[in-house]
Amino acid sequence: MKPSGIGGQAVLEGIMMRNKDKYSVAVRKPDKNIEVKVEEYKGFTQGKKIINLPFIRGVFNFIDSMVLGIKTLAFSAEFYEDEEVEESKFDKAADKMFREKAEDVIMGVTVFISIAIALGLFVVLPSVISDFIKDWFNIISVSLLSVIEGLIRIVMFVAYILLISLMKDIRRTFMYHGAEHKCINCIENGMELNVENVMKSSRYHKRCGTSFIFMVMIISIIFFIFIRVDNTMLKVVVRLLLIPVIAGISYEFIKLAGRSESKIVDILSRPGMALQKITTSEPDEDMVEVAIAAVSAVFDWKSYLENYDKEDSTDEES
């Protein structure tokens, strides 16, 4: 298996694929035709050597991916709006104050709020709950308490995924997520990109964002076993400050997993890939066609297959 250098995500009734500075969004419109949009996206990490250093680049690339993800999700949603939505007061104020940069400002605020909610739900809340458990059961072992906190975090994350998977749109998005993985696995295993080959490819991939988040949770348990803080408020602050460090380590592992055939790396990747049984589903052929359109728009897979045994490529999260 050879890394292709492409990665992406599922959007509403479609898929975004990114290859270096170019990305595509392919959407199955209500009339059943496929709309494909191709644009350049360098992101704020492009050309900045310091924030692209190993163990530093992880958190910045994650934020960069969130910005692009929200942008492409908004694009796909435009095809399925029942009626024109009235511009909010915030949007109007942003347009007036920032003019041509209004969209970037709105996107930044959206990403900030999303990250804040995620940190509150999966970092702060488990820490507070673990402190209640410590007092209730009189737990004195800091190591045990750190493991309990980590397990609470994992359970909450899995419960959240299971809960949103009950929504019809999310279930279909998970199917498109599976189609995205299948396309990448198809070409990275040296097969021609067509519906038949994609359908028989695996829907699990080591470089998936799901695996990244799960790895963050596992590494956080290890970190917090050795970093001991008694005060609840100070403990929360320490957890938040360590998130970039933990994310950086997790990112490097995911990059390694994407190009390594090591048995040890494979074993360490299995829990995250097992979680993909929830975040991905088997797609139908129509979804696979959309995925192929997204890949073909930004990636010369025919040339890639011709040189399959000659050289290696860099990799991105999938």
Side-chain angles (χ1 to χ4, degrees), residues 2-4 19-20 187 190-193 295-296 298-311 313:
K2 174 185 174 182
S4 61
N19 180 30
K20 298 179 181 179
I187 58 178
M191 295 189 294
E192 182 180 346
L193 193 63
V295 172
S296 300
V298 293
F299 184 71
D300 186 358
W301 57 268
K302 293 182 180 179
S303 176
Y304 168 85
L305 293 181
E306 288 176 359
N307 297 280
Y308 187 78
D309 297 319
K310 296 181 180 178
E311 57 183 14
S313 303

Side-chain angles (χ1 to χ4, degrees), residues 55 58-59 62 212 216 242-252:
F55 301 105
V59 65
F62 177 70
F212 169 75
V216 166
L242 283 173
I243 287 298
V245 178
I246 295 170
I249 295 173
S250 303
Y251 179 82
E252 297 306 321

Side-chain angles (χ1 to χ4, degrees), residues 18-23 39-48 51-52 60-61 64-65 67-68 71 316:
R18 183 179 180 181
N19 180 30
K20 298 179 181 179
D21 296 338
K22 187 178 290 187
Y23 77 90
E39 287 191 356
E40 287 191 359
Y41 182 79
K42 295 184 178 180
F44 65 87
T45 62
Q46 183 72 21
K48 299 179 177 64
I51 63 177
N52 276 292
F60 292 102
N61 276 282
D64 214 13
S65 296
V67 172
L68 181 58
K71 181 178 181 179
E316 300 283 344

